[in-house]
Amino acid sequence: MLKEKRTLKRAITLIIAIAMLLSMTLSFRAFADAQTVDVYMTNIPRADDAQYNNPNWGHGELHFLNGWTYHKESYMPAKALNSYYGQAVYCIEPCGNLHTGNSLSRQPDNYFSALPWNSQLNGDWQRKLIGLVLNAGFNGNVNMDTWKTQNYQGEQELAKYWATQVIIWEIITGQRDAYFNFIDAHSDGLDNAADYMSVNCPIFSETAKYYGEISYAVSEALKLPSFMAAVEDWAGMLPLEYDATGKRYILTLEDTNNVIGNFNFSSDSGVECKVHDNILTLTSDKPFDMTTISATRTVDSASMVVWGDGVYSKETSSLQDVIAYGSKVSEPLTAYMKVWAPKISGSLTLTKVDEKYPDNKLTGAEFTVYEDVDGNGKYEADKDKKYGTIPETKEKGVYRLDDVPAGDYLVKETVTPKGYVSDSNYYAVSIITDGGEYNISNDASSRCFTNRQETTQSTTQSTTQSTTQSTTQSTTQSTTQSTTQSTTQSTTQSTTQSTTQSTTQSTTQSTTQSTTQSTTQSTTQSTTQSTTQSTTQSTTQSTTQSTTQSTTQSTTQPMTQSTTKPIKESTTPLTTSLTTQPKSTLNTTSKSSSGQKRIEENPDTGDHEKLAFSAILFVLSGTLFCVVAKAKHKVA
């Protein structure tokens, strides 16, 4: 039986809850469709509240930012639509008055768009922030029976209701900006919206708790990438920088708020946007003017219905306008940043000079510039396109091309000054710095573009003369050496032969005549002993003189004739001549040989001399033998 009663009780509770939910839904729908509503005011605290006699419920007159005021109160009114238990509504016009039974009309959907700027927010931003506050704050019904300090649930609802109202006033009066940052009115000598509740109010701590929770929820919903702005006009301007390695413009940004992954990026200028972790990378192949990059996401919010008298004023004579929670919606949230890629351009320059004479600048050349499409530093006819030519300036030999966009290029000499050899190479150059000057050269030491002169006829003649002189000298030296050697050998042989013959003949004749005469005279006049001594002395002197004179003369004139002088008559015995004559002849012949060094080096010359000496010795020996034999015969 007890179990059945519990089941029945739960069923009744469920039915009541469903009925209340349906009534609220119908009430919201009715408010959405209705054109007018009545307002009911409930003053807090109620007479049966445990803190009813606490004097800290009310507040004095408040002066907010932007000229808004709120009248003095000793209580805190809660507002509802069409009933004391109806849907809670919030004041958005602090200066107005509102009493139970006042009728308000539904305001158009663009109500907030018509609101004036409040020094921080325009009307649309005020609506957006209020929608986020309604979504995070209290959006139920007022309950005058339970909203008491001794009722925990009722106290929590009441505290959350007033926290929501205070934040809405902060938005309206200009104490919150588009990032939901708090602006302290005390710095201007004014009151903050939170001063509506005294710190000694019995529900202050609970209200402050919900104030913090709602504020945090709205701040998180509005959190943007750290480098972006909530309003386009507030967006910072950032340049993309040219990356010489990647040949593109690039900007890399880190989001310190760690929300970048919740946003989708877009651009109207063809800028590529990539997100990785907390890094946003923007790239572009070309420079571009200022453009806006937007990033969007959706956040949970609330629609709302505005009820008012059609007059939005800071005068106390008008009725307060109020807003009621409509429904939960997704609110688009957009962040902005402005970027541009500045045009990077530089100048290509070169100075053209003679290779051997650098001071001689050359005019009349032409240099063609090609775009190095893949940046490999090599010319590829099927890829690389002609960009232009580098013209010669007014200064002779100086060439310059300005305003060349950032990128990789190849430069080639396509027209060469007359009389000079063309340089067929392609020279790579990259422009990476705005306003930079990039010099092109084929000579590192001079930093100039040099050309050498072409080979001419004078060069050929010079080379021919040099070759001829070299050949002539070589031939002359060779011929001279050959002739000298041949002449020396011939002269030596002739001299040797002449000297030998002359000496032999002269010596033989002189010796024979002298010996014969000496022998005959000595045989008649003296004895064998005296004859021998006399013959020896005479022969020695006569033979020595005759041989010496004859040999010397013959050697002195070897190329013409042999001069032979007869040896003077002498009675000197021939025995002495056997020992002196050969030595005299050998010494004389050796000394008289012109070109001695050549001869000594020629083995044939030595053989001729030996044969000549042998012949002389043989003749002398035979002659002496005959003379001695004949003398002995006569003596006998």
Side-chain angles (χ1 to χ4, degrees):
M1 187 71 179
L2 181 61
K3 185 176 181 180
E4 291 178 353
K5 288 183 178 180
R6 289 180 178 176
T7 302
L8 180 61
K9 187 176 181 179
R10 289 178 180 175
I12 294 173
T13 302
L14 179 61
I15 292 172
I16 294 174
I18 293 173
M20 290 180 64
L21 179 63
L22 289 174
S23 66
M24 289 179 62
T25 303
L26 293 174
S27 176
F28 291 159
R29 182 173 296 175
F31 292 149
D33 295 337
Q35 298 300 315
T36 61
V37 294
D38 293 334
V39 177
Y40 285 75
M41 308 285 290
T42 300
N43 294 330
I44 306 297
R46 304 303 299 164
D48 57 351
D49 192 299
Q51 294 291 332
Y52 178 76
N53 293 321
N54 191 318
N56 297 308
W57 285 99
H59 56 81
E61 186 176 271
L62 300 174
H63 299 272
F64 301 138
L65 291 173
N66 293 297
W68 292 102
T69 60
Y70 195 85
H71 58 271
K72 179 181 177 181
E73 292 176 327
S74 58
Y75 53 86
M76 298 174 62
K79 306 175 181 70
L81 294 179
N82 292 334
S83 160
Y84 289 112
Y85 300 93
Q87 181 184 10
V89 294
Y90 298 97
C91 170
I92 58 173
E93 194 176 13
C95 290
N97 289 297
L98 197 60
H99 303 281
T100 298
N102 289 144
S103 295
L104 300 175
S105 302
R106 179 169 180 162
Q107 300 301 305
D109 292 339
N110 65 347
Y111 172 88
F112 282 96
S113 297
L115 293 185
W117 175 261
N118 68 2
S119 75
Q120 296 296 333
L121 301 168
N122 59 24
D124 288 331
W125 265 100
Q126 292 177 47
R127 181 203 60 78
K128 182 178 293 188
L129 295 187
I130 291 174
L132 295 174
V133 171
L134 288 176
N135 179 69
F138 181 79
N139 49 38
N141 285 12
V142 174
N143 191 327
M144 60 182 300
D145 296 332
T146 62
W147 282 20
K148 301 174 183 179
T149 57
Q150 64 267 30
N151 186 311
Y152 177 77
Q153 182 63 34
E155 183 187 40
Q156 298 299 312
E157 290 180 358
L158 179 60
K160 193 172 185 179
Y161 171 81
W162 278 113
T164 303
Q165 177 65 81
V166 167
I167 296 175
I168 290 175
W169 276 341
E170 288 179 346
I171 295 170
I172 294 296
T173 62
Q175 278 192 258
R176 295 284 180 170
D177 63 14
Y179 303 101
F180 208 63
N181 295 317
F182 176 78
I183 287 81
D184 188 1
H186 289 169
S187 61
D188 293 332
L190 299 173
D191 298 313
N192 289 325
D195 294 336
Y196 175 84
M197 181 176 289
S198 169
V199 295
N200 296 318
C201 179
I203 63 171
F204 177 81
S205 60
E206 294 300 319
T207 303
K209 178 187 72 173
Y210 285 110
Y211 175 92
E213 290 179 358
I214 297 170
S215 297
Y216 177 78
V218 175
S219 296
E220 287 297 302
L222 291 172
K223 187 173 288 187
L224 306 176
S226 56
F227 45 80
M228 304 191 79
V231 179
E232 184 173 0
D233 291 341
W234 300 349
M237 296 175 287
L238 301 172
L240 276 69
E241 296 182 356
Y242 184 71
D243 175 26
T245 303
K247 315 304 179 190
R248 59 181 182 173
Y249 293 86
I250 186 170
L251 175 63
T252 301
L253 299 168
E254 181 180 4
D255 173 30
T256 57
N257 288 338
N258 299 321
V259 297
I260 193 172
N262 300 327
F263 288 81
N264 296 316
F265 288 82
S266 63
S267 170
D268 296 333
S269 299
V271 180
E272 184 179 6
C273 307
K274 288 186 177 181
V275 175
H276 180 70
D277 293 335
N278 287 326
I279 303 298
L280 172 66
T281 302
L282 305 178
T283 57
S284 175
D285 294 332
K286 297 180 179 180
F288 57 87
D289 295 330
M290 188 73 69
T291 188
T292 300
I293 303 293
S294 61
T296 59
R297 62 168 295 192
T298 58
V299 295
D300 292 338
S301 184
S303 64
M304 65 196 76
V305 179
V306 180
W307 303 95
D309 61 354
V311 179
Y312 189 79
S313 170
K314 296 178 183 179
E315 299 295 331
T316 58
S317 59
S318 65
L319 297 177
Q320 288 183 1
D321 292 348
V322 297
I323 55 171
Y325 175 89
S327 63
K328 188 174 183 177
V329 296
S330 293
E331 177 76 24
L333 182 65
T334 306
Y336 304 91
M337 64 183 298
K338 295 182 179 181
V339 297
W340 84 98
K343 180 181 178 182
I344 302 296
S345 63
S347 301
L348 300 178
T349 64
L350 63 87
T351 302
K352 190 168 186 62
V353 300
D354 189 300
E355 184 179 63
K356 290 186 176 181
Y357 307 100
D359 292 336
N360 181 20
K361 295 182 179 180
L362 305 179
T363 187
E366 181 181 274
F367 294 88
T368 301
V369 181
Y370 301 90
E371 294 182 29
D372 190 0
V373 176
D374 55 11
N376 62 359
K378 298 179 180 179
Y379 176 71
E380 298 170 295
D382 58 334
K383 295 182 180 180
D384 300 333
K385 300 179 295 183
K386 179 180 177 181
Y387 174 78
T389 58
I390 306 178
E392 186 173 8
T393 64
K394 294 181 179 180
E395 183 179 354
K396 178 183 176 182
V398 177
Y399 300 76
R400 183 184 182 92
L401 179 63
D402 295 322
D403 296 325
V404 182
D408 297 321
Y409 298 91
L410 297 167
V411 179
K412 183 181 183 296
E413 181 182 31
T414 47
V415 175
T416 306
K418 185 177 181 181
Y420 287 86
V421 177
S422 177
D423 188 331
S424 60
N425 296 314
Y426 290 84
Y427 294 90
V429 59
S430 297
I431 294 178
I432 60 176
T433 304
D434 189 40
E437 292 189 1
Y438 299 86
N439 183 63
I440 303 158
S441 68
N442 60 1
D443 181 62
S445 60
S446 66
R447 291 181 55 80
C448 294
F449 202 99
T450 64
N451 290 89
R452 68 176 185 275
Q453 294 185 6
E454 292 179 342
T455 303
T456 60
Q457 183 177 0
S458 61
T459 305
T460 304
Q461 292 176 353
S462 175
T463 303
T464 303
Q465 291 175 0
S466 177
T467 304
T468 302
Q469 291 176 0
S470 177
T471 304
T472 303
Q473 292 176 358
S474 178
T475 304
T476 302
Q477 291 176 0
S478 178
T479 303
T480 301
Q481 292 176 0
S482 177
T483 303
T484 301
Q485 292 176 0
S486 176
T487 303
T488 302
Q489 292 176 2
S490 175
T491 303
T492 302
Q493 293 177 3
S494 175
T495 302
T496 303
Q497 293 175 2
S498 174
T499 303
T500 303
Q501 293 174 3
S502 174
T503 303
T504 303
Q505 292 175 4
S506 175
T507 305
T508 302
Q509 291 174 3
S510 176
T511 303
T512 303
Q513 292 175 4
S514 176
T515 303
T516 303
Q517 291 175 4
S518 309
T519 303
T520 304
Q521 291 175 2
S522 66
T523 302
T524 306
Q525 296 174 2
S526 63
T527 60
T528 301
Q529 183 176 3
S530 62
T531 301
T532 301
Q533 295 174 351
S534 176
T535 302
T536 301
Q537 295 174 355
S538 176
T539 302
T540 299
Q541 296 174 357
S542 177
T543 302
T544 299
Q545 294 175 358
S546 175
T547 302
T548 300
Q549 294 174 0
S550 175
T551 302
T552 301
Q553 293 175 3
S554 298
T555 304
T556 303
Q557 301 175 356
M559 302 300 293
T560 55
Q561 60 182 358
S562 298
T563 305
T564 304
K565 289 186 178 182
I567 301 175
K568 295 182 180 179
E569 294 182 357
S570 174
T571 56
T572 306
L574 295 177
T575 306
T576 307
S577 299
L578 293 175
T579 59
T580 59
Q581 189 173 358
K583 291 183 179 180
S584 177
T585 304
L586 280 172
N587 291 336
T588 304
T589 304
S590 177
K591 293 178 180 179
S592 64
S593 300
S594 62
Q596 181 177 358
K597 186 174 181 181
R598 296 293 182 183
I599 294 174
E600 292 174 351
E601 292 174 357
N602 192 337
D604 293 338
T605 304
D607 292 341
H608 290 307
E609 291 175 350
K610 291 177 181 179
L611 290 174
F613 295 151
S614 298
I616 294 171
L617 184 58
F618 177 78
V619 173
L620 291 176
S621 299
T623 302
L624 182 59
F625 177 77
C626 293
V627 171
V628 172
K630 187 174 181 180
K632 288 182 179 181
H633 177 71
K634 287 183 178 182
V635 171

